[in-house]
Amino acid sequence: MIGMDAIAKPKGCTSFKLRQLSRVVARHYDAHVAASGLKTSQYSLLSHILAAGPVRPVDLAARMSLDASTLTRNLKPLIAEGWVEVGEGADARSRLIHITAAGRAKRDEARALWQQAQRSLNDRLGLVRVAQLHALIDEALDVLAPGEADDLAS
């Protein structure tokens, strides 16, 4: 357990420590999800498209906190694989992104691997520590960027 001195006087750069943790956790998930042929970012994108249903690119980008060019770049390989399609929207100028049956199947395959990664992380860190980490992250997001923790969790 961390002593009160460590809590009262943080050592080092918070940004660096968070990035370091993020990289370690990302590698853990990437290693599991890679067996599906997806990157974790692609799994996340498929999951968001599935959850949002047919969705306008601008709404998907906002939901995922991405800029439009990043979303477009990330969609290209999913479209090329036939996992996602972009069709016409309500009018001639709008587009809707939707997941295909093949995309659902690929997402389901990756989801099982993602769940293995989560269980493995839970085992390594312990459920109490993971729950505390989630609570601390959510609390920090509520203070630093109100509303974003709820938006990103969906």
Side-chain angles (χ1 to χ4, degrees):
M1 196 64 173
I2 298 173
M4 286 305 293
D5 287 342
I7 292 172
K9 298 181 221 173
K11 293 183 181 177
C13 172
T14 302
S15 178
F16 175 76
K17 288 184 175 294
L18 287 171
R19 295 180 101 182
Q20 188 176 28
L21 177 60
S22 181
R23 285 190 297 269
V24 169
V25 172
R27 281 193 304 266
H28 174 82
Y29 279 86
D30 286 340
H32 281 80
V33 174
S36 70
L38 289 177
K39 298 174 183 177
T40 54
S41 59
Q42 293 171 322
Y43 166 74
S44 178
L45 186 50
L46 285 173
S47 295
H48 276 86
I49 294 168
L50 180 63
V55 60
R56 296 180 322 151
V58 67
D59 296 331
L60 182 59
R63 179 183 178 112
M64 296 185 71
S65 298
L66 297 173
D67 60 56
S69 63
T70 301
L71 176 63
T72 299
R73 185 175 54 253
N74 291 348
L75 281 172
K76 284 182 181 179
L78 301 182
I79 292 168
E81 291 290 342
W83 298 327
V84 169
E85 291 179 345
V86 180
E88 292 184 16
D91 59 51
R93 295 183 308 151
S94 66
R95 297 278 179 245
L96 289 176
I97 301 167
H98 69 275
I99 192 167
T100 65
R104 286 177 197 267
K106 181 55 69 175
R107 189 257 179 197
D108 289 346
E109 177 188 351
R111 184 171 190 252
L113 297 165
W114 184 272
Q115 289 171 333
Q116 286 177 2
Q118 184 64 56
R119 285 191 300 273
S120 172
L121 192 73
N122 290 350
D123 290 345
R124 290 178 73 184
L125 288 175
L127 287 175
V128 170
R129 189 176 286 141
V130 171
Q132 290 171 334
L133 180 61
H134 285 208
L136 182 57
I137 290 168
D138 289 343
E139 181 182 334
L141 284 170
D142 282 345
V143 171
L144 297 172
E148 284 190 36
D150 295 333
D151 293 344
L152 297 176
S154 55

